[in-house]
Structure formats: C-alpha cells, structure tokens
Amino acid sequence: MDELTILNRQGVLTELDVHFAHLMRRLSGGGSPELALGAALASNWTANGHICLDLAAEAGKRWRSGSGLVETPDLECWERALLKSPVVGRPGDYRPLVLDEAGRLYLYRYWEYEQEAAVALTRRAGHLVEAVDERRLRADLNKLFPKAPDGRADWQKLAAATAVLRHFSLISGGPGTGKTSTVIRILALLRQQPGGGELKIALAAPTGKAAARMQESIHQAKQGLPVDETVREAIPEQASTLHRLLGGSLDSVYFRHDANNPLLLDVLILDEASMVDLALMAKLMRALPERARLIMLGDRDQLASVEAGAVLADICGEAPGFSDAFHNRLTLLTGEEIPARNHAAPPLSDAIVLLRRSFRFGHESGIGRLASAVNQGRADACLALLENEQLPDIGVVPAQDAIAGRAAGVYRDYLERMGSGAPAERIFEAFNRFRVLCAVRGGPSGLGALNRGIEARLDGQGLIDAREACYAGRPIIITRNDHELHLYNGDMGILLPDRESDGRLRACFQTSEGVIRKIPPARLPEHETAFAMTVHKSQGSEFERVLLVLPEEDSPILSRELVYTGITRARRRFEISASPGVLAAAVARRLRRASGLRQALWETRD
C-alpha cells in the first residue's frame, strides 16, 4: 500500500488529492514520492482555505497506521526533490506547481491569483486622486463630522477623508464602530466634489443577505444626513452581490466583466470584505478600471471566506500607521490629532483606517466585553464574563435538550404570526430576531442534529407539520447559486401559504427593497432547513438574539475568529452552549491560512 493510499484511508487526504498527485506523477514521467506528497498536500491545503502549502509546517511529519508509516522528508531535501520535477517551477515559470523562495508550494492558478491581487492592490494603493477640491472637502468634512467633545481623534472622519483622496481605501472595524455611517458620509462627500454628480457608483457585498442589509442601512442612515436634498437623493441605495455585479453565470468560474470588458464604474463600495476569497478578489481587480475608487469595508477579526484565502486580514497586515507625508496631509485637512506614524511605510499603509470606538457596545456591555476578550485570546476572562450574572446581555445554555427547547420557544412567535395570517413581512421580522448558530455540520451539536431537534420540538407543539419536507413555516437557506432565479448561496427564505395561489406553499424571500418574492418550492435550487445555521453562513447578518453552539469536543475548525463572529452577530442578547474546555481551546486558537499575500503587500519598498 503506497503512502497516498494510507493517508487517504486515514482521512488526511481526499480522493481528489490523491488523483491530483497521480496526475503530477504521470506528467513528470514517474515522479518521486516527495513530489506525490507535495502535490497531494498542496491540493488538500488549498481545499481547506489556504492559498498554498507551507512545506515547513509539514516537513518531518509522521502518520502511523496499522498499514504502515508515512513520513515527510525534511524541508531542504523536500524542496530539492520538488525542483527536480518538470511539473514544479519557480515564481514566473508556467508549471502546474510553483515553489517560491519561502518554501510555499502553490497550485499555479492560486499563485497567479495571489500575484494579480498583490500587484493590483499595491498599484492602486499608491495612487492619489488628482481632482480633489480640498477646500470644499475640508468644509464638508467639518459639517458631516462635528468635533467630538472628548477631543479624541475621529477615525470615521479620517477614514472618509482617506476614501476621497485615494483610489483604494479599506475601513475596518467591529460591529457598531460606524462603518455604515462613515460610508454614507463618504458618498455625500463624493457627490459634493466637482463632477461628483456624474460619478457612477456601485454598492456590493459577497452575499445577498449582506447586500440587503447594506442597502437597508444606507437607506436609513441617509435620511438624517445634514446635506441638501439634491445631494441626499443622489446617494445610491441599490446594492447587489459581487457575483451579480461582475456578471456571474451558472456553473462557470468566469465573469462577464474582466480586463477586456471592465465595469463602467467610478466608485465601488464593497461591504463585508472578510467574506471575499482570493480568487474573487483577483477577478474583481481585473474588472475594476484603474481610475475607479475601491472602498472596502469589513471586520478584520471576523472569519475569513469559506474559499481559499484570508484576503482582508492579509491586506490589513499589522496596520502600522500612515506615512509622514499622508499623515501631515490628513492632519491639515481634518484638524484631527493622529497618534501614530510610520516613517518607512509601504503604499498600503496610507490606505487603511481602523475604526476603534464601538457606539453599540459600551464599557458595561457584556457582548462588547466578551467580544474584546475573545479577540485578545483571554479565555479566563471569557469564562468569567459568562459566569457574571450582573451582565444581562450574555449567558450560558447548558444542555442539548435546552437548546432545542430554547430555540422552539423563540421561534413560536413567527409561526403563530403565520398561523394568524399575518403578512410575510411581519413573519420575516419575527423570524429574523433570533438564530441558532453552530460551528460544525455533523455530530450531536452540528447543523443537522440541531435543525432536527428544533423541528421535532415545534412539531410536537403543533406549530409545524414536519411529516413532509415542504411544510408551512419551514425556514430554508439556499446552498447553490441560481442566477436565473436570482437566488444565491446564503439567501434565506420561509415556506408560507400564499393567498394569491389558493393557499399553496411558496418559498418567500425578502429582497433588499423589502419586496417579497414568491417561488414554487419545486423550482428552488439546492437548499436546507435553517432553524440553525453555521457561523460562516451567518456572516453579513445580525440578529437581536443569538445562541452559539460549539461541539462537545475540541476541533481544529474552532477558532478565536469563529467565536468572535458568532458573538458579534448579536445586537441585544448572546448565549452560548459550550464546555469551558472547548471554549477556552477555541479562544486560544488563531485562524492561520498559509499565504504569501501579506508579505507581498507589506514588504517595504523604496
């Protein structure tokens, strides 16, 4: 039995990894065991969210089984053996596998994506917008961002100024730090610049849910904006998914808009950027004209995308502060006292602003304090906060039966509204107040078991009839894009009786405009029940109450970023079901994805 078969049977490698390794062997005319292991692991690491295989992390490893021993070579020997193969090249070579000087082994396609993204972002970050009326900008900034009484630096104001001055800017901050209010003011500033009324502006997010929330937030925020009515009316509200903006098509990795058919845009505002993977980022950079502003928003501490890469975190790097020249320009323009400078900063440092102050969670907020403790990796502080009965907005749910019972009790409201014939809008309003989030799909604390348990409780109470797959009140989440129906992975719906169709069930979806779309269940793309959803799927959403369920045993999938993302989905009340040991292990574990993007973006250039 060869090494790949042993690792496949142990669950280390998938069938796809093994087939890819065999292909590389054939293409190289036989190939060495070192090549086969490298190719298989590179395939596996990429499928698990990494951009490349970090050879140093796998060198000298041993896997024992009843069938034998598999051992990877030491790093130097492994690199030497790989470079002897005709299927492995150095950066710039057109080979199936690329090995760089830092010992990172890439599938060629991902090496190319990384290079494209790094070059495009660095070039865009280094360009200042030339046609800026700074006198007008200074006056508008002071009007839209009045001086704070506490005298602290107004990072929202600094972020807005940066976005107007540069072709690329990134605004990162946790929930309640004012990303949306900053964006609405950026849009007002742009509209009030010379020629601003002619700017073609697009709003986008990675998922339909995030786009809908972005649109709703901008609609609400612009109502009280201290600008002329003509400016307010010129601020766009319509948001779309990034795939729809780029012109995605069914079952294709290519988009209609690319370097040869660029987007007709002057400004793109991209929300929830932590959910954007490397491949999508590279394709966006191809399609976006160089003259256009790209303004990205996101929370660098959230989970990275499901696909390969942690693009937002890599772009943020260590955020070392503005260069001397840009620091001085911002100070003169905004009147703000900026505390830090970086004398040898790369171009990207002038494009990134971190919003530091939360207006949603004050010093006494249990949710805010818990999220901060998780971010700092302070497991003991997290456990102490959860045990503190003086914090009414956080708590612990101890047992599996209690989870189903707690969830069923809250979901009763939307089902009773459905039973009384309430409009779909009111049913969605009640349903969206609460969600159960989980970390894994399998096991007693996984997605399937939680959904079945909640379903059984509600069925036992006579609130649903779960004998059929399609029943009134069933919440669903789309798991496969359908461009024809404009339904996308992550979109949420509820099966409801439709008076206009003689009471037949229709899958109802609430659009970003608040309109209810009704689709016959038989036409739906792949979907699943969604009383509970994974933390990954919850990104881009917020709920009044959240119950986060971690598995009974520790798992590599559990991380600080996952727990933080789950906590920050809650606006008013957060509860967790997890053993102290599992929670502590999760908080201690950082999400690390192998990538050369951060180094490519942040290495100092002359």
Side-chain angles (χ1 to χ4, degrees):
M1 187 181 302
D2 68 13
E3 296 172 324
L4 299 183
T5 302
I6 293 172
L7 293 179
N8 176 232
R9 290 188 176 181
Q10 286 189 335
V12 176
L13 300 176
T14 66
E15 292 289 339
L16 178 62
D17 302 331
V18 173
H19 283 297
F20 178 71
H22 288 322
L23 173 63
M24 292 299 100
R25 265 182 164 169
R26 289 197 300 273
L27 291 176
S28 65
S32 63
E34 292 87 353
L35 170 65
L37 273 173
L41 289 168
S43 169
N44 185 266
W45 274 49
T46 304
N48 283 289
H50 301 278
I51 302 303
C52 54
L53 165 65
D54 180 1
L55 288 176
E58 295 288 356
K61 264 193 174 182
R62 294 185 174 191
W63 291 275
R64 289 190 179 276
S65 76
S67 305
L69 170 69
V70 176
E71 185 174 5
T72 55
D74 67 70
L75 181 59
E76 185 177 344
C77 292
W78 204 354
E79 289 183 335
R80 191 163 53 245
L82 287 169
L83 289 171
K84 289 180 180 178
S85 169
V87 300
V88 180
R90 284 296 193 184
D93 295 338
Y94 188 59
R95 306 282 177 84
L97 294 166
V98 175
L99 177 62
D100 72 7
E101 299 295 337
R104 294 182 287 246
L105 183 65
Y106 295 81
L107 307 183
Y108 178 83
R109 182 162 50 119
Y110 283 89
W111 176 83
E112 186 177 42
Y113 286 149
E114 186 175 278
Q115 295 304 302
E116 280 191 72
V119 170
L121 285 166
T122 300
R123 182 170 59 241
R124 194 179 293 270
H127 290 169
L128 289 162
V129 178
E130 295 179 0
V132 174
D133 183 340
E134 291 203 15
R135 179 178 295 181
R136 178 62 189 265
L137 177 58
R138 184 181 296 108
D140 291 339
L141 282 167
N142 290 332
K143 183 178 180 180
L144 290 168
F145 298 91
K147 191 69 176 176
D150 58 13
R152 290 191 293 178
D154 187 341
W155 289 99
Q156 292 185 39
K157 186 177 184 179
L158 292 164
T162 301
V164 174
L165 293 172
R166 309 198 72 87
H167 280 283
F168 172 68
S169 57
L170 190 156
I171 304 168
S172 177
T177 53
K179 294 189 293 294
T180 300
S181 62
T182 303
V183 164
I184 197 71
R185 285 162 173 77
I186 290 170
L187 291 169
L189 292 168
L190 291 172
R191 285 299 192 208
Q192 293 176 102
Q193 282 288 299
E198 306 302 318
L199 290 174
K200 297 180 179 66
I201 301 174
L203 311 175
T207 67
K209 288 182 303 177
R213 193 162 70 86
M214 181 187 192
Q215 184 165 309
E216 179 184 0
S217 298
I218 287 180
H219 173 75
Q220 293 174 352
K222 81 177 192 179
Q223 304 310 314
L225 208 58
V227 294
D228 293 340
E229 188 60 31
T230 54
V231 174
R232 187 180 294 110
E233 290 179 357
I235 293 174
E237 297 179 14
Q238 183 68 39
S240 73
T241 64
L242 194 51
H243 282 80
R244 187 174 181 182
L245 178 74
L246 291 172
S249 58
L250 188 63
D251 295 324
S252 174
V253 297
Y254 299 103
F255 293 103
R256 185 172 70 254
H257 290 289
D258 55 18
N260 297 317
N261 180 30
L263 293 161
L264 299 177
L265 289 179
D266 299 302
V267 181
L268 172 61
I269 295 181
L270 176 59
D271 198 10
E272 296 291 349
S274 64
M275 301 165 67
V276 178
D277 61 87
L278 178 66
L280 187 56
M281 190 68 201
K283 292 170 185 178
L284 171 62
M285 300 310 290
R286 291 175 193 168
L288 193 64
E290 284 203 31
R291 60 176 172 76
R293 287 179 176 89
L294 173 61
I295 303 168
M296 292 174 62
L297 311 168
D299 185 347
R300 65 175 182 171
D301 296 315
Q302 273 191 200
L303 274 172
S305 65
V306 176
E307 304 299 330
V311 175
L312 181 65
D314 283 342
I315 295 175
C316 285
E318 300 303 323
F322 300 122
S323 66
D324 285 345
F326 196 61
H327 175 279
N328 294 337
R329 187 176 184 186
L330 279 180
T331 301
L332 290 172
L333 185 63
T334 65
E336 297 295 317
E337 292 293 331
I338 310 172
R341 291 186 287 182
N342 188 320
H343 298 281
L348 202 61
S349 66
D350 287 340
I352 296 171
V353 180
L354 304 181
L355 302 182
R356 294 156 164 79
R357 181 179 179 184
S358 176
F359 297 92
R360 180 183 304 169
F361 304 125
H363 293 300
E364 300 305 314
S365 164
I367 294 176
R369 291 167 63 183
L370 184 62
S372 177
V374 168
N375 261 344
Q376 296 169 26
R378 297 165 54 222
D380 290 345
C382 294
L383 297 173
L385 286 166
L386 289 168
E387 293 171 0
N388 187 347
E389 296 181 357
Q390 303 303 312
L391 298 173
D393 58 342
I394 59 175
V396 176
V397 177
Q400 295 300 317
D401 288 344
I403 294 169
R406 182 73 57 93
V410 182
Y411 284 137
R412 170 183 286 274
D413 186 20
Y414 93 88
L415 292 168
E416 288 179 342
R417 290 190 185 194
M418 178 189 71
S420 66
E425 291 85 355
R426 290 195 62 220
I427 296 171
F428 271 98
E429 178 188 7
F431 176 68
N432 287 330
R433 288 176 185 160
F434 172 74
R435 197 72 81 247
V436 177
L437 304 181
C438 56
V440 297
R441 298 184 65 87
S445 302
L447 183 70
L450 289 171
N451 273 314
R452 288 191 298 271
I454 296 167
E455 205 171 45
R457 284 296 185 102
L458 294 170
D459 188 38
Q461 295 171 15
L463 293 168
I464 62 173
D465 183 356
R467 289 174 292 182
E468 300 292 334
C470 290
Y471 58 83
R474 182 191 178 203
I476 59 172
I477 185 168
I478 301 300
T479 58
R480 183 181 177 85
N481 292 342
D482 188 321
H483 297 279
E484 183 180 348
L485 289 175
H486 301 299
L487 290 176
Y488 300 95
N489 188 0
D491 286 353
M492 296 287 300
I494 305 176
L495 301 187
L496 298 173
D498 182 25
R499 294 177 184 174
E500 298 174 359
S501 303
D502 298 323
R504 286 184 293 231
L505 286 182
R506 291 292 181 262
C508 296
F509 295 86
Q510 198 168 31
T511 69
S512 53
E513 296 85 12
V515 176
I516 300 296
R517 296 182 61 217
K518 302 173 183 178
I519 298 172
R523 292 195 63 197
L524 290 173
E526 294 175 21
H527 59 279
E528 58 191 21
T529 303
F531 291 111
M533 62 195 303
T534 62
V535 176
H536 267 291
K537 293 285 189 184
S538 74
Q539 287 180 273
S541 299
E542 288 183 350
F543 312 97
E544 287 186 14
R545 296 176 58 184
V546 164
L547 170 54
L548 174 63
V549 182
L550 299 187
E552 296 174 355
E553 296 183 1
D554 187 27
S555 164
I557 200 171
L558 301 181
S559 67
R560 185 179 305 177
E561 291 80 4
L562 182 140
V563 176
Y564 170 81
T565 303
I567 294 169
T568 54
R569 298 312 89 203
R571 289 193 295 264
R572 300 195 177 190
R573 171 78 177 171
F574 172 78
E575 296 175 314
I576 187 169
S577 177
S579 71
V582 168
L583 177 58
V587 170
R589 183 180 292 115
R590 294 298 303 269
L591 177 68
R592 299 293 187 192
R593 288 191 168 176
S595 164
L597 181 60
R598 181 175 300 208
Q599 180 182 349
L601 292 170
W602 286 99
E603 60 185 13
T604 303
R605 294 174 174 82
D606 295 328

